[in-house]
Amino acid sequence: MLTKDYKFLEVEKKWQNEWINGKYEKIFKFDNTDTKSKIYVIDTPPPFTSGKLHMGHVLNFIWIDIIARYKRMKGFNVLCPQGWDTQGLPTELKVEQKYKIKKEEREKFRNLCIEWTKEFIANMKSQMTMIGYVPDWSKEYKTMDPDYWKAVQYSLIKFFEKGMIYKAKHPVHFCPSCGTAIAKAEIEYTTRETTLNYIKFFLDEKNFIVIATTRPELIQECVAVFVNPNDERYKNLIGKFVNVPLTERKVKIIADEDVDMNFGTGVVMVCSFGDEHDVKWIYKYNLDIIKGIDESGRLTEACGIYKGMKVEEARKRIIEDLKNKNFIIKQEKIMQNVGIHERCKKPIEFILTDQWFIKVIDFKEKILKESENIKWIPDYMKKRYVDWVKNMDWDWVISRQRVFGTPLPFYYCENCKKIIPAEISELPIDPALNEKRCPYCNNLLTPARDVCDCWVDSSITPLIISKWMEDEEYFKKTYPSSLRPQGHEIIRTWAFYTIFRCLILTEKIPFQKSLVNGMVFGPDGRKMSKSLGNVVEPNEIVEKYGADAIRQWACTFVPGSDTALIMKDIDYGKRFLTKLWNAARFIEMCLNNETPENLDFENLTVIDKWILAKCDEMIEKTDEALENFNFNIMKELQDFVWHDVCDNYIEIVKYRIYENIKKKEAQFTLYILLKNLTKLLAPFIPHITEEIYQNFKFESRSVHSKGNFPEPIGIDKIYLNAATVINVIEEIRKFKGNNKIKLSEEISNVKIYVKKDIEKSFINECIEDIKKSVKVKNVEILEGEFKVECER
Ligand SMILES: [Zn+2]
Ligand SMILES: [Zn+2]
């Protein structure tokens, strides 16, 4: 028996237990022994273990769960594993803060990070369960696990063998605040007000040119001055030398077409290194490199009396000194785009350091060509991906000067100037803890003390879940993945790096389709943030509305688009559950604890056939929609249940149940309808549908069982035309409402004008339904444009 009220929290918890640890756990596990079913593999995103899920995660995992359940019900053997992206800076920063420990205590630090992360995973896992997300937990992975390290290190050694790994002194984007190199993809841009300083650079005692710069502190590392060769103002100065203020140095004036004549005075100072232009020019013209800023963001020895000052402080001092010596002509305020580190929001610098790289630039063409066939949902995400690849002009800096990460499995021989990889049999390895000698000269090797960028870890997930290099049979079956769901903000990182690395390692693209979800903004339409006070925590809304309500909300999103979190949408979902529950209870009452006998569909009434034909139509539509990731088909399903089933069909058949007129047919129709509906709705609202399905014992298994997606019964579509009967009934109801007549009060006469023969004959067959369900004494059917005239 269904309870009077739907107690969502109780019911949801009960089924989550049965699915994850109880009698139905097998359904959600990939069956490696199944040789018949087609396989569907979802390369689920491993969230960074921050401790809690945000609403964007909730949206993403609900979609994944809907697809996994749908595919399973369609008969696929579904592999839906779940992992965790555990290593990285944010955890280190928190651990540093909490335990007052420095990264130099390598092992102790790492262990504290691991402990911290384990706790966080437990919490996030319980949140995933709360929203009804049931991946195959037996396939769980964590990027900090020894096996995961092993796979990452193995993959890097393969890259080394292909000649794609190198170590170089190279200017890299560096975050002095975090003390590590970062990838271009980790840079965020923000506009801020800054001062443009117009500074004199003397050619001789009297003559000077003026350079406008926002970063006068870099003057100490100025190695050349650039002008545009077409700039009439400076044509005669090309090749001459100028004095760099506050230094003893002279630098050359060089002409290059890339100089923007319209910025400042049209003269730029090139410093090692201020921005990407500087890097390009310094290499192009083979200029000197002066390392002016070190890894802690302080000025170096090369900067003379400014040595040891932080960048901001040095800027103030240098401006002061320039002013005192009369070098500054004027200053003006401008707005400027500056790069900041996305994790800590502090300005980044270009710093010359020793780093490890993977060659990417040489492979752009190959990547673009091979990934041509990946289908992006929505389509326009493909352009974002292609543009990113095309515009890439740097190899990938994979080393990070941190501790909580996968160690680079390499050594370096200072004598032979060679990279020596670790042995495959030694993996996983931390070279910093394992002394080794050079196989060529027997010198003691220098271990790589750096760890990998965390995208190096997460960009091989399709290989991890398919047991690459571990189980060949399994790999053949499960690689490439069928689907990669992910957010649009990580196309240039996670999507790109995965395609690149897996392609190089396997010569095949890693996934066939990528489903891209947008961001969830706060109820005020702005990005959720603590400072705006508009953060909505998933737990709060699950407790208030239940998982099945939130899952319906997730279906209102269109792939790729950002949307605000609207509470009334979630509330509507909750009210829909109540409606469905009440309909199920009514049907339960009609059936009176019995399973109706199997009738021939031919014997059903027109109205019975109409609702079943509509249900068939919804099955076909939903199937097609889910195949194409159109989750908002849920809106049509809600309307179907709410209006066609509850407001109309159930209201129309009530009299047949109470007065025993064609009662068996009504019972049978209600039974079939509810059975198909619970199956159809199961991927979207899995808890309530399981509860109803089990209550009616439609079949002795879970509604989510493999192959359980409903098939259309095959009712003739012609019965959809019986919708005209529903229109008639609605018109009569409207008349009663407008004239303040109770629905239970009988009216004397109704004239129905109708043109199409098929509609006429359906109305004719349903006269009894009309008379009884909306209480009419006499019904006349007349020829004409559709119209219903009621008389009191
Ligand atoms: Zn930082
Ligand atoms: Zn050597």
Side-chain angles (χ1 to χ4, degrees):
M1 275 278 280
L2 296 172
T3 53
K4 183 167 175 293
D5 296 311
Y6 178 52
K7 301 199 177 74
F8 63 87
L9 284 177
E10 231 169 77
V11 171
E12 290 180 353
K13 234 194 176 83
K14 174 175 79 182
W15 293 116
Q16 286 158 8
N17 277 331
E18 295 295 355
W19 296 332
I20 295 174
N21 303 307
K23 61 178 171 189
Y24 293 138
E25 65 175 328
K26 255 189 115 176
I27 295 174
F28 299 88
K29 293 198 159 59
F30 178 68
D31 183 1
N32 197 26
T33 60
D34 180 350
T35 51
K36 289 194 203 98
S37 317
K38 278 194 276 178
I39 291 173
Y40 195 83
V41 182
I42 308 179
D43 179 23
T44 56
F48 178 70
T49 41
S50 63
K52 53 185 183 183
L53 300 183
H54 53 65
M55 289 308 294
H57 288 128
V58 167
L59 172 69
N60 204 347
F61 288 116
I62 288 174
W63 281 8
I64 294 168
D65 190 69
I66 291 173
I67 296 158
R69 287 179 195 263
Y70 162 69
K71 286 289 172 183
R72 196 175 296 118
M73 288 177 79
K74 287 291 285 182
F76 285 84
N77 185 9
V78 174
L79 171 58
C80 180
Q82 186 57 53
W84 306 97
D85 182 14
T86 55
Q87 306 182 122
L89 209 48
T91 302
E92 286 195 39
L93 297 179
K94 282 179 201 149
V95 166
E96 239 167 26
Q97 224 175 31
K98 185 169 175 197
Y99 297 100
K100 308 277 173 260
I101 184 174
K102 287 265 168 270
K103 65 176 179 178
E104 284 65 32
E105 292 178 69
R106 205 170 168 92
E107 275 311 86
K108 196 175 160 201
F109 195 116
R110 196 175 270 158
N111 287 330
L112 284 171
C113 290
I114 291 173
E115 285 316 307
W116 171 282
T117 302
K118 279 184 183 161
E119 255 177 64
F120 276 19
I121 289 178
N123 188 47
M124 294 172 83
K125 214 167 165 173
S126 80
Q127 286 187 300
M128 287 177 172
T129 301
M130 266 178 106
I131 54 171
Y133 175 50
V134 186
D136 180 350
W137 284 117
S138 68
K139 301 278 190 291
E140 186 177 359
Y141 62 84
K142 304 180 209 73
T143 57
M144 66 185 184
D145 286 346
D147 279 351
Y148 205 103
W149 272 23
K150 192 173 163 180
V152 171
Q153 293 184 328
Y154 181 85
S155 74
L156 288 175
I157 292 173
K158 288 286 146 197
F159 269 76
F160 171 78
E161 287 168 0
K162 291 173 192 286
M164 292 174 69
I165 295 225
Y166 64 94
K167 189 171 167 278
K169 253 201 189 341
H170 207 280
V172 290
H173 296 286
F174 201 91
C175 176
S177 168
C178 300
T180 184
I182 58 174
K184 196 173 172 184
E186 287 171 79
I187 301 170
E188 223 174 72
Y189 289 90
T190 168
T191 350
R192 66 170 183 196
E193 196 188 63
T194 180
T195 309
L196 187 61
N197 304 280
Y198 288 79
I199 304 170
K200 295 183 211 166
F201 278 57
F202 281 90
L203 289 145
D204 49 43
E205 307 265 290
K206 276 199 337 243
N207 299 305
F208 60 84
I209 51 170
V210 179
I211 291 176
T213 176
T214 57
R215 301 208 55 192
E217 71 276 14
L218 297 179
I219 219 166
Q220 297 289 333
E221 47 192 87
C222 171
V223 291
V225 165
F226 273 58
V227 294
N228 193 302
N230 304 316
D231 196 333
E232 294 299 334
R233 294 172 291 182
Y234 307 113
K235 260 195 169 150
N236 57 339
L237 297 179
I238 295 167
K240 295 199 169 142
F241 286 81
V242 285
N243 290 299
V244 180
L246 307 182
T247 75
E248 302 292 308
R249 291 182 296 110
K250 278 179 182 296
V251 298
K252 201 175 183 180
I253 300 172
I254 299 170
D256 190 283
E257 302 242 333
D258 280 351
V259 174
D260 179 2
M261 288 192 270
N262 301 316
F263 179 78
T265 58
V267 191
V268 263
M269 64 172 190
V270 171
C271 307
S272 56
F273 297 89
D275 59 19
E276 285 174 35
H277 262 124
D278 289 350
V279 177
K280 215 171 88 190
W281 284 330
I282 284 170
Y283 283 98
K284 185 169 170 189
Y285 295 97
N286 205 10
L287 301 169
D288 287 343
I289 292 174
I290 299 171
K291 181 173 173 172
I293 297 173
D294 70 12
E295 285 83 342
S296 63
R298 291 176 190 276
L299 271 63
T300 64
E301 206 119 12
C303 301
I305 58 164
Y306 307 103
K307 180 195 165 189
M309 288 183 194
K310 287 243 175 197
V311 169
E312 294 290 325
E313 187 191 353
R315 182 179 308 156
K316 273 194 203 125
R317 276 290 297 278
I318 288 175
I319 291 179
E320 237 170 72
D321 292 351
L322 287 168
K323 274 184 177 164
N324 289 339
K325 294 189 171 153
N326 238 340
F327 280 114
I328 295 198
I329 288 188
K330 66 168 176 174
Q331 291 181 305
E332 60 188 30
K333 296 273 178 225
I334 57 162
M335 294 308 286
Q336 191 189 32
N337 233 357
V338 287
I340 55 171
H341 185 198
E342 64 171 2
R343 302 266 196 214
C344 69
K345 312 291 176 199
K346 300 269 168 57
I348 49 144
E349 296 287 347
F350 267 100
I351 294 181
L352 189 70
T353 50
D354 269 321
Q355 299 293 347
W356 296 77
F357 294 81
I358 289 185
K359 284 187 189 169
V360 179
I361 301 304
D362 298 353
F363 299 88
K364 277 164 72 166
E365 286 306 308
K366 180 183 168 87
I367 298 165
L368 284 171
K369 185 170 159 269
E370 300 287 337
S371 53
E372 183 58 30
N373 292 328
I374 294 176
K375 177 158 172 52
W376 296 83
I377 302 127
D379 280 337
Y380 63 82
M381 290 296 167
K382 179 175 186 172
K383 189 175 176 321
R384 280 204 202 181
Y385 162 77
V386 169
D387 286 350
W388 173 254
V389 179
K390 279 190 177 153
N391 293 324
M392 227 170 14
D393 46 12
W394 288 68
D395 280 339
W396 180 10
V397 190
I398 55 165
S399 44
R400 295 291 181 271
Q401 289 65 54
R402 299 296 313 189
V403 179
F404 191 38
T406 308
L408 283 160
F410 300 113
Y411 293 82
Y412 189 74
C413 178
E414 305 289 350
N415 194 24
C416 311
K417 308 280 178 232
K418 265 194 177 128
I419 295 174
I420 314 289
E423 301 287 337
I424 302 287
S425 59
E426 294 172 316
L427 307 182
I429 190 174
D430 183 353
L433 306 175
N434 289 274
E435 235 176 50
K436 223 178 166 70
R437 290 195 170 271
C438 176
Y440 306 101
C441 71
N442 208 33
N443 222 13
L444 200 59
L445 293 169
T446 312
R449 295 190 58 89
D450 295 343
V451 297
C452 297
D453 171 10
C454 54
W455 296 112
V456 174
D457 295 341
S458 59
S459 56
I460 57 167
T461 53
L463 301 176
I464 295 287
I465 63 174
S466 60
K467 302 192 181 185
W468 173 66
M469 299 314 287
E470 196 189 310
D471 182 338
E472 212 184 317
E473 277 301 302
Y474 195 94
F475 178 72
K476 267 193 204 151
K477 285 198 286 195
T478 55
Y479 184 91
S481 298
S482 320
L483 185 71
R484 151 64 71 92
Q486 67 161 76
H488 63 62
E489 73 286 5
I490 51 174
I491 288 179
R492 59 187 192 169
T493 47
W494 195 40
F496 168 69
Y497 289 140
T498 306
I499 294 169
F500 165 59
R501 293 195 61 221
C502 296
L503 177 62
I504 297 293
L505 292 166
T506 69
E507 289 297 325
K508 270 191 196 164
I509 51 160
F511 43 83
Q512 292 155 348
K513 292 182 181 176
S514 181
L515 170 65
V516 181
N517 67 282
M519 303 228 281
V520 180
F521 292 142
D524 56 356
R526 291 193 287 180
K527 205 169 167 177
M528 285 192 205
S529 86
K530 269 199 195 126
S531 59
L532 289 174
N534 63 350
V535 177
V536 177
E537 297 290 352
N539 293 34
E540 287 168 25
I541 54 174
V542 173
E543 275 154 29
K544 193 165 169 202
Y545 299 97
D548 283 347
I550 294 162
R551 291 172 69 106
Q552 292 172 72
W553 158 80
C555 293
T556 60
F557 280 68
V558 174
S561 306
D562 300 333
T563 314
L565 175 63
I566 309 291
M567 288 301 170
K568 78 174 191 344
D569 290 347
I570 302 182
D571 190 57
Y572 179 82
K574 193 177 169 196
R575 285 188 288 123
F576 174 75
L577 297 176
T578 307
K579 194 82 191 169
L580 178 64
W581 187 255
N582 289 340
R585 286 187 62 227
F586 173 77
I587 294 170
E588 188 180 39
M589 193 226 15
C590 294
L591 299 182
N592 200 14
N593 263 335
E594 282 165 41
T595 306
E597 59 182 284
N598 233 341
L599 299 181
D600 189 340
F601 285 100
E602 274 316 300
N603 297 334
L604 302 181
T605 72
V606 167
I607 284 297
D608 296 339
K609 289 179 188 168
W610 163 74
I611 195 71
L612 291 179
K614 270 238 99 156
C615 188
D616 273 4
E617 190 183 50
M618 287 315 300
I619 291 171
E620 285 159 11
K621 277 188 174 178
T622 306
D623 196 8
E624 198 199 323
L626 285 182
E627 199 61 58
N628 294 301
F629 310 100
N630 293 327
F631 301 100
N632 54 22
I633 185 68
M634 187 62 202
K635 177 84 190 61
E636 272 187 67
L637 286 166
Q638 287 166 335
D639 288 345
F640 173 63
V641 172
W642 203 299
H643 302 299
D644 294 326
V645 176
C646 297
D647 290 351
N648 289 312
Y649 183 71
I650 286 182
E651 289 304 319
I652 294 169
V653 294
K654 270 181 180 167
Y655 83 92
R656 287 165 54 191
I657 302 287
Y658 300 147
E659 298 174 29
N660 207 354
I661 301 164
K662 287 262 201 185
K663 184 178 174 182
K664 270 187 185 166
E665 286 76 6
Q667 286 175 318
F668 177 69
T669 307
L670 286 166
Y671 181 83
I672 297 289
L673 180 63
L674 188 64
K675 180 163 94 174
N676 278 347
L677 263 182
T678 47
K679 290 181 180 187
L680 191 56
L681 290 166
F684 304 94
I685 43 175
H687 307 86
I688 192 171
T689 47
E690 184 81 296
E691 181 72 10
I692 294 172
Y693 194 80
Q694 300 279 339
N695 178 75
F696 281 85
K697 300 191 178 58
F698 287 128
E699 279 117 348
S700 54
R701 56 175 176 178
S702 163
V703 69
H704 303 287
S705 299
K706 194 163 148 240
N708 208 20
F709 197 79
E711 288 283 336
I713 299 164
I715 304 284
D716 194 334
K717 289 266 188 295
I718 199 157
Y719 287 98
L720 290 173
N721 289 296
T724 191
V725 177
I726 305 302
N727 292 340
V728 168
I729 287 172
E730 282 175 342
E731 286 298 315
I732 298 169
R733 272 200 211 123
K734 213 187 286 166
F735 170 80
K736 286 189 170 184
N738 291 342
N739 293 286
K740 306 220 160 43
I741 302 170
K742 275 194 219 145
L743 282 175
S744 57
E745 193 181 310
E746 195 177 62
I747 55 172
S748 63
N749 195 37
V750 169
K751 287 181 183 150
I752 304 165
Y753 294 86
V754 69
K755 250 192 168 153
K756 277 211 245 153
D757 282 346
I758 176 81
E759 293 180 351
K760 202 179 284 175
S761 83
F762 281 152
I763 292 173
N764 221 345
E765 280 187 66
C766 294
I767 285 187
E768 181 90 351
D769 289 325
I770 296 170
K771 284 182 172 173
K772 297 268 188 182
S773 66
V774 272
K775 309 279 184 242
V776 180
K777 193 154 192 222
N778 188 41
V779 173
E780 290 172 68
I781 303 173
L782 301 156
E783 176 76 25
E785 283 303 325
F786 181 76
K787 185 164 72 168
V788 180
E789 283 175 357
C790 304
E791 288 161 42
R792 196 157 183 164

